[in-house]
Amino acid sequence: GGAAMAGLRAAGAEFDLLGQAVGKVHAAAGLGGGRKASVSHSPKGVEVEYRNASPQFTVKHNLASRDTTLAVSRTLKGKHRLDVRQEVPQGKWFLVPTPQIKLCSPVTSRGSLTLFWDEAKRSGTVGGTYAIGKSKISGVAGQGDKKASITSSQFNNAVLAGLGASISQKKGKEVFAKVALPVDGLTAQATYGDAAKKVEAAYKRAPSGSGLKVELKGGINMDGSKPKLGATTRWDF
């Protein structure tokens, strides 16, 4: 909460197990008053980030590329969500203002409408979602792409965790199935479509009382590209 004392809050790392490399190392600290700061190191360079809870805003800066991101979020009239994001690549502040603006508003108790505009690209999208129990229908339309999808996790068995299908102008048709395997924390998902044919698996463990969270993720693409296997660790203090 806002009254929390300052100090180190979390640390972690991401590993590419097949490439035998550390992908990212990060640490986060609470500054009190709902403020947080973090620093990370990855092949993209050192990145620092500052988050403020109220009012809600984030500042992120990469020391190597000099890329900066500013983001502000607001809740309007208790139900409308407004997000404004400004990206400044390579220290080119003369590009400001060219914000990305997203407004999400509930239309009914089950449905919402999302409007998005990118001033830098001079393009936008209109999207919507509608939920029926644990099933969701969504669609988005914009310049150059239109997409519709349906997903569901409404099943009465312990194995099948999710089903979904989508069709888009760019990626064509796609279906997926997600299953919970008979090992606690182990899930797998198979995706088959015009643009992707792959099998992925994830294993999550969080030993009680340790503050440690470990996740292993792997994937095989049927297009013959290199398999992926990665690990993520995080310690919460």
Side-chain angles (χ1 to χ4, degrees):
M5 295 179 62
L8 187 63
R9 292 286 180 265
E14 299 174 9
F15 305 90
D16 177 357
L17 299 180
L18 296 182
Q20 296 181 339
V22 178
K24 183 177 182 181
V25 179
H26 61 89
L31 306 179
R35 296 169 297 149
K36 296 179 181 179
S38 64
V39 60
S40 65
H41 181 273
S42 73
K44 295 181 179 180
V46 175
E47 189 169 83
V48 292
E49 181 176 327
Y50 172 81
R51 290 178 177 268
N52 196 77
S54 182
Q56 189 174 346
F57 67 86
T58 302
V59 180
K60 188 184 298 184
H61 181 72
N62 187 296
L63 302 182
S65 64
R66 296 186 296 130
D67 294 342
T68 303
T69 302
L70 312 171
V72 179
S73 296
R74 292 285 187 275
T75 300
L76 309 176
K77 296 184 177 180
K79 59 180 181 178
H80 307 285
R81 175 81 174 185
L82 176 65
D83 297 316
V84 180
R85 177 186 177 98
Q86 174 68 59
E87 295 184 351
V88 185
Q90 301 173 346
K92 297 178 180 179
W93 288 91
F94 62 86
L95 296 175
V96 178
T98 49
Q100 299 172 8
I101 302 171
K102 183 169 71 172
L103 178 64
C104 184
S105 299
V107 179
T108 68
S109 60
R110 296 180 176 179
S112 63
L113 178 68
T114 300
L115 305 176
F116 175 79
W117 177 257
D118 187 331
E119 179 63 21
K121 296 180 180 178
R122 302 292 295 175
S123 65
T125 60
V126 178
T129 62
Y130 189 78
I132 306 172
K134 293 183 180 180
S135 300
K136 184 173 72 172
I137 302 170
S138 61
V140 63
Q143 184 177 2
D145 193 23
K146 297 178 180 64
K147 180 179 179 179
S149 65
I150 180 168
T151 59
S152 180
S153 58
Q154 193 165 348
F155 306 104
N156 295 320
N157 64 74
V159 177
L160 190 58
L163 283 175
S166 67
I167 182 169
S168 76
Q169 190 173 338
K170 283 186 176 180
K171 295 185 177 181
K173 300 178 289 295
E174 186 174 277
V175 295
F176 80 85
K178 183 176 182 180
V179 296
L181 300 173
V183 176
D184 188 31
L186 182 61
T187 59
Q189 178 170 312
T191 303
Y192 185 88
D194 295 333
K197 299 172 181 64
K198 58 186 177 180
V199 178
E200 300 166 296
Y203 177 64
K204 298 180 182 180
R205 290 296 292 167
S208 179
S210 68
L212 173 64
K213 297 177 182 177
V214 179
E215 181 175 9
L216 296 174
K217 280 187 175 181
I220 299 174
N221 285 297
M222 306 308 174
D223 60 4
S225 59
K226 183 180 177 181
K228 295 180 180 180
L229 181 61
T232 300
T233 59
R234 177 185 171 97
W235 288 271
D236 291 313
F237 305 106

